[in-house]
Amino acid sequence: MRDVRIALLDMNNNHVNQGFKNIKEISEAFKQQSEENISIEVFDVRFKNEIPNIEDFDIFISSGGPGNPHREGFEWEEKFAQFLDSVYQYNQENETKKYLFLICHSFQLASIHWDLGNICKRKSYSFGVMPIHKSEEGEQEFLFKNLPNPFYAVDSRAYQFIEPNVDRFEELGMKIVAIEKFRPHINLERAVMAIRFSDEIFGTQFHPEANPAGMIENLKDKKNKEAMIENFGMEKYLETVDRMDDEDKIMLTQAQILPRFLRLAKKNILREIEAMA
């Protein structure tokens, strides 16, 4: 039996990042808990222009990262766009499948690449533990199965995805599975928070990998602390710090979404390998 091969795409552009550390920890835990051989390799996409050859891997997790998700003329941008297309194309044409999870910055890049809506700068930086609302399709989403509606997740973004292009979603068979909190008193469109791009490709605007320890680290960052106090006030900031390790909030989200994605991908991959043997 050959290894199940995981590629982790680091999109942090050489910035120290808690989220990527969490992604590695979740992948390592998955490897330890698996009876099968699991190999994990890291690619530094933005800083070193590294991109995995999709033939060499079964599962890809692409992280969040800083900066503008729109094209700025870097070499890695075209490579990443080709990577997205090659995973999507491969799955259209082959019995075996490649599984891809896109987080935050990667989610925005893919949404722009597939022309799914308006990815624009927010009025102010958003940071904190937020309620995420499942859409009707989201109620059926396997990765959300054990989560309440709304569930809670870490949000950390300067950009947002609004005004989805409904025709394009229908044309590509993609589905919005989660949206931002409904705020009737604020005249702003609700941002898209998760998309089922295909049976094998999933993406979230929020950070499913985040854990309480990492969140506490992030809150030590002045920009994050100020963004949270500006958006929600000091009382909410203190409440968030207090609630950080509630078992029904980000701990539940962390324990569910990425681990479920990895387990389902592995199960399908092993079944495909067996069918071909």
Side-chain angles (χ1 to χ4, degrees):
M1 174 67 77
R2 71 162 177 80
D3 291 6
V4 173
R5 305 155 306 180
I6 302 175
L8 304 181
L9 283 68
D10 181 351
M11 304 295 283
N12 287 291
N13 203 16
N14 211 30
H15 289 71
V16 176
N17 183 270
Q18 200 59 43
F20 195 69
K21 182 169 172 270
N22 296 151
I23 291 167
K24 285 201 283 195
E25 285 166 356
I26 289 169
S27 305
E28 283 296 339
F30 172 71
K31 178 179 175 170
Q32 301 305 327
Q33 289 154 13
S34 293
E35 288 169 16
E36 302 77 17
N37 287 335
I38 309 284
S39 66
I40 301 169
E41 203 171 322
V42 172
F43 293 81
D44 188 338
V45 178
R46 291 169 71 183
F47 193 66
K48 295 183 183 166
N49 277 324
E50 296 173 347
I51 207 96
N53 175 358
I54 72 154
E55 299 290 338
D56 298 341
F57 297 91
D58 306 295
I59 301 171
F60 307 87
I61 301 175
S62 190
S63 78
N68 181 356
H70 292 276
R71 293 265 184 134
E72 294 180 311
F74 296 111
E75 189 187 331
W76 68 265
E77 291 169 330
E78 184 54 36
K79 284 186 174 180
F80 189 75
Q82 288 172 2
F83 163 76
L84 290 173
D85 282 339
S86 59
V87 173
Y88 189 81
Q89 240 7 78
Y90 182 95
N91 288 335
Q92 305 279 63
E93 296 163 4
N94 289 278
E95 288 295 306
T96 60
K97 305 297 178 190
K98 306 286 181 185
Y99 294 84
L100 169 61
F101 200 108
L102 300 151
I103 297 169
C104 197
H105 194 78
S106 298
F107 167 84
Q108 293 168 357
L109 291 168
S111 300
I112 292 166
H113 177 66
W114 283 315
D115 191 24
L116 297 178
N118 178 13
I119 288 78
C120 58
K121 207 158 184 165
R122 282 178 51 90
K123 277 193 150 106
S124 60
Y125 189 79
S126 172
F127 184 82
V129 177
M130 312 288 181
I132 309 289
H133 294 253
K134 298 181 196 179
S135 67
E136 263 181 65
E137 273 103 350
E139 292 280 10
Q140 312 305 317
E141 172 54 55
F142 173 79
L143 299 184
F144 294 166
K145 195 172 172 212
N146 295 332
L147 297 173
N149 194 12
F151 60 93
Y152 286 80
V154 170
D155 194 27
S156 172
R157 64 197 157 103
Y159 286 78
Q160 62 182 352
F161 177 159
I162 54 170
E163 298 159 6
N165 179 344
V166 178
D167 293 344
R168 187 78 178 133
F169 269 88
E170 281 183 12
E171 180 194 333
L172 295 172
M174 298 179 176
K175 295 182 188 131
I176 294 169
V177 290
I179 43 182
E180 199 175 22
K181 185 182 180 190
F182 182 49
R183 295 178 294 181
H185 57 290
I186 296 174
N187 189 21
L188 292 172
E189 185 156 351
R190 300 164 79 176
V192 173
M193 295 307 277
I195 294 172
R196 169 57 73 187
F197 293 101
S198 73
D199 287 348
E200 303 82 19
I201 305 173
F202 194 83
T204 61
Q205 174 64 81
F206 59 86
H207 287 269
E209 78 280 14
N211 67 11
M215 190 67 182
I216 296 284
E217 269 311 300
N218 281 330
L219 281 174
K220 288 178 184 167
D221 180 279
K222 194 161 169 259
K223 182 184 79 162
N224 290 340
K225 182 175 178 178
E226 282 172 1
M228 198 169 172
I229 291 167
E230 183 192 342
N231 282 327
F232 303 103
M234 181 57 91
E235 193 181 335
K236 182 72 177 165
Y237 168 78
L238 295 170
E239 178 192 70
T240 300
V241 172
D242 190 45
R243 281 183 172 175
M244 205 66 80
D245 40 16
D246 280 8
E247 284 176 13
D248 64 344
K249 295 203 168 56
I250 63 171
M251 285 173 82
L252 178 63
T253 301
Q254 192 203 31
Q256 287 296 321
I257 296 179
L258 270 176
R260 280 178 85 79
F261 169 78
L262 286 167
R263 286 196 299 270
L264 178 69
K266 180 182 81 169
K267 188 172 118 188
N268 291 343
I269 290 156
L270 293 174
R271 200 167 53 214
E272 289 155 12
I273 291 170
E274 225 164 86
M276 289 171 72

